Amino acid sequence: MFEMQYITSRVHRFLHRFFYLRHDYDDEYSIWNFCPTTIWREFTAMLQSSCFCRTALFPMVYWLVVFISLYGAVINCYEVLQMWRDPCGKFTVWRQRHFYVMDQMVLRKVRLLSSSIYQVAWFMLIYGIVMVSPNSMAPWILVTSAVLSVEVFIWFFEVITGILAINPQTLLSLFLHVYFLGMVCCVKSVFEVALAEQAEYSLRII
């Protein structure tokens, strides 16, 4: 009887930790308080509150985001057109990587689909910047965050398993992508504040 009660109590505690809601725990720091939406909000808040989102630096951040967004949309559109025009041509990637399962034709179709989705996200980002629409910027932020998360995970896995060596160019590329994501989040947060205070007139290009 003692052993059965001990086992059932342990199972009960295990299930309690995994299936009960977060508010059942009063501790601020707990390894069981895992909520993806909370983590996402904390991550975006960290990016939005970084040093490059200060008032004095915002005009520079804003125009950098404008020009880099236009450049990114043009480059992505050029890549999509190249893949349509030359189905057998060699395509480039922005970091060193290895593919183990998919062949070139499947990779090309996946790349074409992802580039097309990204193109829509780029156009929505540009529209959101020009028209002061934070909601239009959200798809680009979501797609870029997902892509970067997967890229960093795969790159880190390949480095620790010895498949790839640490390449300074890859580190710089990852850093620049994350930094630009932070700048876009900064602009989006300023837009949200301006719209709430009905002061978006000072942020409109047209």
Side-chain angles (χ1 to χ4, degrees):
M1 180 65 70
F2 172 76
E3 292 181 356
M4 285 298 298
Q5 289 181 348
Y6 178 76
I7 293 172
T8 53
S9 64
R10 298 291 289 183
V11 171
H12 177 74
R13 288 181 59 189
F14 177 80
L15 296 175
H16 181 82
R17 285 183 169 180
F18 273 91
F19 294 104
Y20 276 33
L21 298 177
R22 179 178 177 177
H23 59 71
D24 289 333
Y25 297 94
D26 297 328
D27 297 335
E28 182 178 359
Y29 296 97
S30 173
I31 61 173
W32 305 109
N33 291 340
F34 184 82
C35 180
T37 55
T38 302
I39 294 174
W40 170 251
R41 286 196 298 267
E42 292 291 335
F43 176 71
T44 54
M46 180 188 69
L47 289 176
Q48 292 169 2
S49 62
S50 299
C51 60
F52 50 73
C53 203
R54 295 176 181 175
T55 304
L57 297 177
F58 180 74
M60 182 184 68
V61 171
Y62 176 83
W63 288 109
L64 275 175
V65 169
V66 170
F67 292 126
I68 294 175
S69 299
L70 291 172
Y71 175 78
V74 170
I75 294 298
N76 197 84
C77 185
Y78 174 77
E79 290 180 354
V80 172
L81 291 176
Q82 283 292 102
M83 282 185 282
W84 275 108
R85 192 177 303 168
D86 187 11
C88 299
K90 183 179 180 182
F91 62 88
T92 58
V93 290
W94 63 273
R95 75 167 183 87
Q96 181 186 6
R97 68 183 72 185
H98 294 280
F99 299 100
Y100 308 100
V101 180
M102 296 181 289
D103 58 16
Q104 284 294 324
M105 290 303 296
V106 176
L107 282 174
R108 185 168 298 281
K109 292 178 181 178
V110 172
R111 178 70 180 273
L112 182 60
L113 177 62
S114 61
S115 296
S116 301
I117 294 173
Y118 226 141
Q119 189 64 47
V120 175
W122 277 114
F123 285 146
M124 291 188 69
L125 175 63
I126 295 171
Y127 174 83
I129 293 171
V130 173
M131 304 305 296
V132 192
S133 174
N135 292 333
S136 299
M137 302 170 67
W140 184 92
I141 295 175
L142 180 62
V143 171
T144 303
S145 301
V147 170
L148 278 178
S149 300
V150 173
E151 287 288 343
V152 170
F153 176 79
I154 294 174
W155 174 79
F156 183 74
F157 176 78
E158 290 179 340
V159 167
I160 63 174
T161 54
I163 298 173
L164 289 179
I166 296 179
N167 188 348
Q169 183 178 357
T170 301
L171 288 175
L172 179 62
S173 298
L174 289 171
F175 173 76
L176 291 177
H177 279 76
V178 173
Y179 199 78
F180 181 64
L181 174 62
M183 289 194 294
V184 174
C185 288
C186 169
V187 174
K188 180 176 179 291
S189 66
V190 172
F191 283 177
E192 291 171 344
V193 173
L195 289 172
E197 297 178 355
Q198 297 182 347
E200 69 275 11
Y201 58 87
S202 62
L203 299 170
R204 291 190 180 277
I205 297 178
I206 56 175

